Amino acid sequence: MIKTIQTKPYTDQKMGTAGLRKKSKVVMQEHYIENFVQSIFNVIGDLKGKTYVLGGDGRFYNDIAIQKIIKMAAANGVSKLIIGQNGFLSTPASSNIILKNKLDGGFVLSASHNPGGENGDFGIKYANQSGGQCPSSTSDKIYQQTLTISEFKIDDAPDIDLSKLGTQTLGAMQIEVIDPVKDYVEMMERIFDFSALKKLFSNGFTMRFDAMNAVTGPYAQRIFEDILGAAKGSVVNAVPLPDFGGLHPDPNLIYAQELVDLMFSEKAPDFGAANDGDGDRNMILGKKFFVTPSDSLAILTDYFDLIPAYKNGIFGVAKSAATSTAVSRVAEAHNIGYYEVPTGWKYFVNLMDSNRITFCGEESFGTGSSHIREKDGIWAVLFWLSIIAATGKSVEEITRDHWKKYGRSYYMRFDFEGIDTNVADKLMADLENKLPSLNNQQFGTYQVKEAAPFVYHDPVDGSDTKNGLIVKFTDGSRIVYRLSGTGSSGATLRIYLEKYDTTKLNENPLAMLQNLLEIALNIAEVKSRTGKQHADVIT
Ligand code: G1P
Ligand code: ZN
């Protein structure tokens, strides 16, 4: 039976960099999910004939939220839902399902790399028919709806059994439960040369993939162990757990500690990688060697013609403004298009749809291509393995060769977390006002060339987006300041530093960037305004 239930708006349902992200306890408030989902349905309008994909990373509350969405979809007239078995689907797999089946969009229940559990975070990403997250123009409309919503529709049915594959119905709506891994694996087989990768492993190549107790475990086991022949046990933390076993499922040097410790020990395998909660982020490691995501994007782009799906050429490449400029030199060398967009994968979607780019990436451990409209952790791992198989070189050799060829962008990110929101907003506002006065100023050996907010004009839809403040120096060094849009409480200030060098290729990044860091902290008065003497997280 379809019920219409009265509700009161929440004022905090604005989507950030990637969907709605909140503390689990916030989402567990009465009608919180219902308000948000009904607001999306209201903005879409007529749902008759529409099909959506639905799934998540299995985190705490995934099971409850998914049932609510199913019953609301049925009550609102959605024709069909395609759902991952037991509610599981990685973000890249969902995007693939939308594109492959030409669906109208989908819902990914995940707060990505944020910790899960009752005291962790929950989130919802809404994708449209592009296969990517909806643009800001749509999320703004959804937010407006959430501020005025007064009722939602829901089917008063018992919970749907999501453990059985196949089709069932709820009222007039069809529900198809699918194997969450199968289509994704088929897509990877079409992109990469699996026989070359099998040979790599049969010749004794060793790897460790850390799924961080999150959604990629089953994908990684099927691909790396079952199909490609990596030794059993190469994939660790492979069972998705509601609280990720207490891990912070963010694949970086700090949170993927178990993997990092192994890779920097004498027992290190040839290759190490980790993915985040919903499978779109990746970290790449060699023996005692870390590849920055910015370098990774540049290296993958440089080797595009080794991969069957790209060997006939790629359109171009894009990066977020905060990401290092390493890939720009590769784009120039290959004479392909090059774009800089605001932070957030949704800004790449129009560029992919219009065949302006094939590859894209962000410094925050995201790399991907136009095979889908989200970043893709396992794709990046398979790409690296393919380069290793084709060149016979190690991760370290591949990266060092890259620096020899193109020079090296020393690059690091410094995060100041848990800042009072008002303090953070004022810091950014005051800094923005100060930028014009910085032009041509000298700071030690650095001279400011240009200091301005980053403004992106989307060449496809004509929209303008302002995100972050950039100080560029005459030697090509850069400081980027921005506030995180994925946190669930307080503010996080991110400071990104970059210094390019063509001769000093083997220095310690922190030592290379130390002076720039002091300049960055001084310009924005970070210590006095936040009371913090050091960054909380450095990547
Ligand atoms: C962070 C990253 C950004 C990424 C997003 C979603 O957003 O910085 O590159 O797209 O997570 O994975 P932020 O918290 O900086 O807004
Ligand atoms: Zn993610």
Short mmCIF file of all heavy atoms in Angstrom, two decimals, residues 29-61:
data_model
loop_
_atom_site.label_atom_id
_atom_site.label_comp_id
_atom_site.label_asym_id
_atom_site.label_seq_id
_atom_site.Cartn_x
_atom_site.Cartn_y
_atom_site.Cartn_z
N GLN A 29 18.26 10.09 11.83
CA GLN A 29 17.12 10.85 12.35
C GLN A 29 15.86 10.53 11.54
O GLN A 29 15.95 10.16 10.38
CB GLN A 29 17.38 12.36 12.25
CG GLN A 29 18.53 12.83 13.10
CD GLN A 29 18.81 14.29 12.82
OE1 GLN A 29 18.28 15.17 13.47
NE2 GLN A 29 19.63 14.56 11.82
N GLU A 30 14.73 10.73 12.18
CA GLU A 30 13.45 10.37 11.54
C GLU A 30 13.30 11.07 10.18
O GLU A 30 13.44 12.30 10.09
CB GLU A 30 12.29 10.75 12.46
CG GLU A 30 10.98 10.22 11.92
CD GLU A 30 9.79 10.61 12.78
OE1 GLU A 30 9.80 11.72 13.33
OE2 GLU A 30 8.87 9.79 12.88
N HIS A 31 13.02 10.27 9.17
CA HIS A 31 12.70 10.76 7.82
C HIS A 31 13.86 11.48 7.12
O HIS A 31 13.64 12.17 6.13
CB HIS A 31 11.48 11.69 7.83
CG HIS A 31 10.24 11.02 8.36
ND1 HIS A 31 9.14 11.72 8.77
CD2 HIS A 31 9.94 9.70 8.55
CE1 HIS A 31 8.20 10.88 9.19
NE2 HIS A 31 8.68 9.64 9.06
N TYR A 32 15.06 11.37 7.66
CA TYR A 32 16.19 12.10 7.07
C TYR A 32 16.45 11.63 5.64
O TYR A 32 16.53 12.41 4.69
CB TYR A 32 17.44 11.95 7.93
CG TYR A 32 18.50 12.96 7.59
CD1 TYR A 32 18.55 14.20 8.22
CD2 TYR A 32 19.45 12.70 6.59
CE1 TYR A 32 19.51 15.15 7.89
CE2 TYR A 32 20.41 13.64 6.26
CZ TYR A 32 20.44 14.86 6.91
OH TYR A 32 21.39 15.79 6.58
N ILE A 33 16.58 10.28 5.50
CA ILE A 33 16.80 9.70 4.17
C ILE A 33 15.59 9.98 3.28
O ILE A 33 15.72 10.35 2.11
CB ILE A 33 16.98 8.16 4.29
CG1 ILE A 33 18.29 7.82 4.98
CG2 ILE A 33 16.87 7.48 2.94
CD1 ILE A 33 19.50 7.83 4.11
N GLU A 34 14.41 9.78 3.86
CA GLU A 34 13.18 9.93 3.08
C GLU A 34 13.08 11.34 2.50
O GLU A 34 12.75 11.53 1.33
CB GLU A 34 11.95 9.63 3.96
CG GLU A 34 11.78 8.17 4.35
CD GLU A 34 12.53 7.78 5.62
OE1 GLU A 34 13.52 8.44 5.98
OE2 GLU A 34 12.12 6.79 6.27
N ASN A 35 13.36 12.35 3.33
CA ASN A 35 13.29 13.74 2.84
C ASN A 35 14.23 13.95 1.66
O ASN A 35 13.87 14.55 0.64
CB ASN A 35 13.72 14.71 3.95
CG ASN A 35 12.61 14.99 4.93
OD1 ASN A 35 11.61 14.27 4.98
ND2 ASN A 35 12.79 16.02 5.74
N PHE A 36 15.44 13.44 1.81
CA PHE A 36 16.45 13.69 0.77
C PHE A 36 16.08 12.97 -0.53
O PHE A 36 16.13 13.56 -1.62
CB PHE A 36 17.83 13.23 1.27
CG PHE A 36 18.95 13.52 0.32
CD1 PHE A 36 19.32 14.83 0.04
CD2 PHE A 36 19.63 12.49 -0.32
CE1 PHE A 36 20.36 15.11 -0.85
CE2 PHE A 36 20.67 12.76 -1.20
CZ PHE A 36 21.03 14.07 -1.48
N VAL A 37 15.67 11.72 -0.39
CA VAL A 37 15.35 10.93 -1.59
C VAL A 37 14.09 11.48 -2.27
O VAL A 37 14.03 11.60 -3.50
CB VAL A 37 15.20 9.44 -1.22
CG1 VAL A 37 14.67 8.63 -2.39
CG2 VAL A 37 16.55 8.89 -0.75
N GLN A 38 13.08 11.85 -1.47
CA GLN A 38 11.87 12.42 -2.07
C GLN A 38 12.20 13.72 -2.80
O GLN A 38 11.65 14.00 -3.87
CB GLN A 38 10.80 12.67 -1.00
CG GLN A 38 9.45 13.12 -1.57
CD GLN A 38 8.79 12.03 -2.41
OE1 GLN A 38 8.65 10.89 -1.96
NE2 GLN A 38 8.41 12.36 -3.65
N SER A 39 13.13 14.50 -2.24
CA SER A 39 13.53 15.76 -2.89
C SER A 39 14.15 15.48 -4.25
O SER A 39 13.91 16.21 -5.22
CB SER A 39 14.52 16.53 -2.01
OG SER A 39 13.90 16.86 -0.79
N ILE A 40 14.94 14.42 -4.32
CA ILE A 40 15.53 14.05 -5.62
C ILE A 40 14.41 13.66 -6.59
O ILE A 40 14.36 14.14 -7.72
CB ILE A 40 16.54 12.88 -5.47
CG1 ILE A 40 17.74 13.33 -4.62
CG2 ILE A 40 17.00 12.38 -6.84
CD1 ILE A 40 18.74 12.22 -4.33
N PHE A 41 13.51 12.81 -6.11
CA PHE A 41 12.41 12.37 -6.98
C PHE A 41 11.57 13.58 -7.44
O PHE A 41 11.16 13.65 -8.59
CB PHE A 41 11.52 11.35 -6.25
CG PHE A 41 12.14 9.98 -6.12
CD1 PHE A 41 11.79 9.13 -5.07
CD2 PHE A 41 13.07 9.52 -7.05
CE1 PHE A 41 12.36 7.86 -4.96
CE2 PHE A 41 13.63 8.25 -6.94
CZ PHE A 41 13.28 7.42 -5.90
N ASN A 42 11.33 14.51 -6.54
CA ASN A 42 10.54 15.70 -6.91
C ASN A 42 11.23 16.49 -8.01
O ASN A 42 10.58 17.01 -8.92
CB ASN A 42 10.33 16.61 -5.69
CG ASN A 42 9.39 15.98 -4.67
OD1 ASN A 42 8.78 14.93 -4.93
ND2 ASN A 42 9.28 16.60 -3.51
N VAL A 43 12.55 16.58 -7.92
CA VAL A 43 13.28 17.35 -8.93
C VAL A 43 13.27 16.61 -10.28
O VAL A 43 13.13 17.22 -11.34
CB VAL A 43 14.72 17.65 -8.47
CG1 VAL A 43 15.58 18.14 -9.62
CG2 VAL A 43 14.69 18.68 -7.34
N ILE A 44 13.38 15.28 -10.22
CA ILE A 44 13.36 14.53 -11.49
C ILE A 44 11.99 14.67 -12.15
O ILE A 44 11.87 14.81 -13.36
CB ILE A 44 13.65 13.02 -11.25
CG1 ILE A 44 15.05 12.82 -10.65
CG2 ILE A 44 13.55 12.24 -12.57
CD1 ILE A 44 15.33 11.41 -10.17
N GLY A 45 10.94 14.66 -11.33
CA GLY A 45 9.58 14.80 -11.89
C GLY A 45 8.97 13.46 -12.23
O GLY A 45 8.93 12.58 -11.38
N ASP A 46 8.55 13.30 -13.47
CA ASP A 46 7.84 12.08 -13.86
C ASP A 46 8.79 10.87 -13.85
O ASP A 46 9.76 10.83 -14.59
CB ASP A 46 7.26 12.27 -15.27
CG ASP A 46 6.36 11.11 -15.64
OD1 ASP A 46 6.04 10.28 -14.74
OD2 ASP A 46 5.96 11.04 -16.82
N LEU A 47 8.47 9.89 -13.02
CA LEU A 47 9.38 8.74 -12.86
C LEU A 47 8.91 7.53 -13.65
O LEU A 47 9.55 6.48 -13.63
CB LEU A 47 9.51 8.39 -11.38
CG LEU A 47 10.26 9.47 -10.59
CD1 LEU A 47 9.95 9.37 -9.11
CD2 LEU A 47 11.75 9.36 -10.83
N LYS A 48 7.78 7.68 -14.33
CA LYS A 48 7.23 6.56 -15.08
C LYS A 48 8.19 6.18 -16.22
O LYS A 48 8.70 7.03 -16.93
CB LYS A 48 5.87 6.97 -15.67
CG LYS A 48 5.01 5.79 -15.96
CD LYS A 48 3.54 6.19 -16.01
CE LYS A 48 2.77 5.04 -16.63
NZ LYS A 48 2.67 5.12 -18.08
N GLY A 49 8.49 4.89 -16.32
CA GLY A 49 9.39 4.43 -17.38
C GLY A 49 10.86 4.57 -17.01
O GLY A 49 11.74 4.21 -17.79
N LYS A 50 11.13 5.08 -15.83
CA LYS A 50 12.54 5.31 -15.46
C LYS A 50 13.14 4.13 -14.69
O LYS A 50 12.46 3.48 -13.89
CB LYS A 50 12.67 6.59 -14.65
CG LYS A 50 12.26 7.83 -15.45
CD LYS A 50 13.17 8.99 -15.15
CE LYS A 50 13.22 10.04 -16.24
NZ LYS A 50 11.98 10.59 -16.70
N THR A 51 14.42 3.88 -14.97
CA THR A 51 15.14 2.79 -14.31
C THR A 51 16.41 3.34 -13.67
O THR A 51 17.14 4.11 -14.29
CB THR A 51 15.53 1.70 -15.33
OG1 THR A 51 14.34 1.22 -15.95
CG2 THR A 51 16.24 0.54 -14.67
N TYR A 52 16.65 2.93 -12.43
CA TYR A 52 17.84 3.40 -11.70
C TYR A 52 18.61 2.22 -11.14
O TYR A 52 18.04 1.17 -10.84
CB TYR A 52 17.43 4.33 -10.54
CG TYR A 52 16.77 5.58 -11.03
CD1 TYR A 52 15.37 5.66 -11.14
CD2 TYR A 52 17.52 6.67 -11.44
CE1 TYR A 52 14.76 6.79 -11.64
CE2 TYR A 52 16.92 7.82 -11.93
CZ TYR A 52 15.54 7.87 -12.03
OH TYR A 52 14.94 8.99 -12.53
N VAL A 53 19.91 2.44 -10.97
CA VAL A 53 20.73 1.43 -10.29
C VAL A 53 20.85 1.85 -8.83
O VAL A 53 20.82 3.04 -8.51
CB VAL A 53 22.11 1.29 -10.98
CG1 VAL A 53 22.97 2.52 -10.79
CG2 VAL A 53 22.86 0.06 -10.46
N LEU A 54 20.96 0.85 -7.95
CA LEU A 54 21.01 1.13 -6.52
C LEU A 54 21.96 0.17 -5.84
O LEU A 54 21.92 -1.04 -6.08
CB LEU A 54 19.59 0.99 -5.95
CG LEU A 54 19.38 1.09 -4.44
CD1 LEU A 54 19.81 2.45 -3.91
CD2 LEU A 54 17.89 0.87 -4.12
N GLY A 55 22.83 0.70 -5.00
CA GLY A 55 23.75 -0.15 -4.25
C GLY A 55 24.68 0.71 -3.42
O GLY A 55 24.61 1.94 -3.48
N GLY A 56 25.54 0.07 -2.66
CA GLY A 56 26.44 0.86 -1.82
C GLY A 56 27.64 0.05 -1.40
O GLY A 56 27.85 -1.08 -1.84
N ASP A 57 28.44 0.66 -0.52
CA ASP A 57 29.69 0.02 -0.12
C ASP A 57 29.53 -0.87 1.10
O ASP A 57 30.51 -1.34 1.67
CB ASP A 57 30.80 1.06 0.09
CG ASP A 57 30.47 2.07 1.18
OD1 ASP A 57 29.48 1.86 1.92
OD2 ASP A 57 31.20 3.07 1.31
N GLY A 58 28.28 -1.09 1.53
CA GLY A 58 28.03 -2.04 2.61
C GLY A 58 28.23 -1.47 4.00
O GLY A 58 28.16 -2.20 4.99
N ARG A 59 28.46 -0.17 4.07
CA ARG A 59 28.70 0.41 5.39
C ARG A 59 27.43 0.42 6.25
O ARG A 59 26.32 0.24 5.73
CB ARG A 59 29.28 1.82 5.28
CG ARG A 59 28.34 2.85 4.72
CD ARG A 59 28.98 4.24 4.72
NE ARG A 59 30.17 4.31 3.90
CZ ARG A 59 31.28 4.97 4.26
NH1 ARG A 59 31.33 5.60 5.42
NH2 ARG A 59 32.31 5.00 3.46
N PHE A 60 27.62 0.61 7.53
CA PHE A 60 26.54 0.69 8.50
C PHE A 60 25.40 1.57 7.95
O PHE A 60 25.66 2.66 7.46
CB PHE A 60 27.10 1.28 9.80
CG PHE A 60 26.07 1.54 10.85
CD1 PHE A 60 25.62 0.51 11.67
CD2 PHE A 60 25.52 2.81 11.00
CE1 PHE A 60 24.65 0.75 12.64
CE2 PHE A 60 24.55 3.06 11.96
CZ PHE A 60 24.11 2.03 12.78
N TYR A 61 24.17 1.08 8.05
CA TYR A 61 22.95 1.76 7.61
C TYR A 61 22.66 1.59 6.12
O TYR A 61 21.60 1.98 5.64
CB TYR A 61 22.98 3.26 7.95
CG TYR A 61 21.61 3.83 8.22
CD1 TYR A 61 20.84 3.34 9.27
CD2 TYR A 61 21.07 4.84 7.43
CE1 TYR A 61 19.57 3.85 9.53
CE2 TYR A 61 19.81 5.37 7.68
CZ TYR A 61 19.06 4.87 8.74
OH TYR A 61 17.81 5.37 8.98
#
